Amino acid sequence: MQHKAVSIRAFIGAKDYAVSRNFYKDLGFEEHIISPDMSYFRVNDEIGFYLQEYYVKDWVNNSMLFLEVQDVEQHYETFQQLGLQHKYAGVRFTPIRYEDWGMEYFMHDPSGILWHFGQFNK
């Protein structure tokens, strides 16, 4: 079967919904409020995720998202300059790792969601 997909969107939870909403807006995501307890955050028309006012520790602590970027080194520097690890409790960044397939760095959001920001070799 061949899918004619347009996008894929993950659902993630938030330990403190208001804090997470502000965090993702500070990261540069555009928020579209769906309901009082759910928003869609997007980077462009095809890339985004749903943030919910819902928290189950085991689920959130095991949630990971991978966002492919064009220039991971520039992306890392830009995010470091935002200083979000000082503004939001629990936010931390792991330096860029260089792998056979490309490079990536990690970020934990205020709830514990693990983000991978990566760039594949061409």
Side-chain angles (χ1 to χ4, degrees), residues 17-31:
Y17 187 59
V19 167
S20 290
R21 287 178 65 202
N22 288 330
F23 174 76
Y24 284 110
K25 287 186 274 189
D26 284 350
L27 273 180
F29 286 90
E30 181 182 321
E31 181 183 24

Side-chain angles (χ1 to χ4, degrees), residues 84-99:
L84 299 178
Q85 65 273 33
H86 306 295
K87 184 175 179 181
Y88 294 96
V91 172
R92 62 187 190 276
F93 293 89
T94 303
I96 297 171
R97 296 172 24 163
Y98 299 87
E99 305 289 346

Side-chain angles (χ1 to χ4, degrees), residues 10-15 38 50-65 111-114:
F11 287 79
I12 62 172
K15 192 173 195 176
M38 184 180 295
Y50 294 99
L51 178 70
Q52 322 175 64
E53 186 172 19
Y54 183 74
Y55 180 76
V56 174
K57 185 177 180 180
D58 286 343
W59 169 52
V60 169
N61 284 347
N62 286 291
S63 294
M64 291 187 279
L65 298 169
S111 299
I113 303 287
L114 177 61

Side-chain angles (χ1 to χ4, degrees), residues 3 6 16 42-43 56 77 82 85 93 120:
H3 299 280
V6 176
D16 183 320
R42 71 182 194 177
V43 178
V56 174
E77 288 303 317
L82 293 175
Q85 65 273 33
F93 293 89
F120 294 102

